[in-house]
Amino acid sequence: RWLLNLYSNGTLEMDYKSCEMISDALYYQIAAKYPDRDVTITVSEDGENGALIKYELSRPSLSIKI
């Protein structure tokens, strides 16, 4: 519900973003609220295309920084 509210209140927007960009935006919000955790996010577009991204603290070279 918390993440859904971020979209409904305008904090996050979908506006022509790729699945990877949506995942990164979600990660920024999740990492700010729940720091020092590994996070896995799956974003699906019409059940056909999508992205599964793992943001791992133990492998920072593979994660984005907040």
Side-chain angles (χ1 to χ4, degrees), residues 2-34:
W2 166 68
L3 288 174
L4 290 174
N5 284 334
L6 292 177
Y7 282 100
S8 65
N9 72 16
T11 301
L12 291 174
E13 295 179 0
M14 296 276 225
D15 296 334
Y16 306 104
K17 291 182 181 175
S18 67
C19 292
E20 293 83 5
M21 292 168 71
I22 292 168
S23 180
D24 288 346
L26 288 169
Y27 176 70
Y28 286 128
Q29 296 296 319
I30 293 167
K33 185 169 182 165
Y34 302 103

Side-chain angles (χ1 to χ4, degrees), residues 29-57:
Q29 296 296 319
I30 293 167
K33 185 169 182 165
Y34 302 103
D36 301 323
R37 298 182 188 193
D38 291 344
V39 177
T40 301
I41 298 175
T42 303
V43 178
S44 178
E45 178 184 354
D46 301 328
E48 293 182 21
N49 301 313
L52 181 142
I53 302 177
K54 296 179 181 182
Y55 303 90
E56 298 179 6
L57 296 176

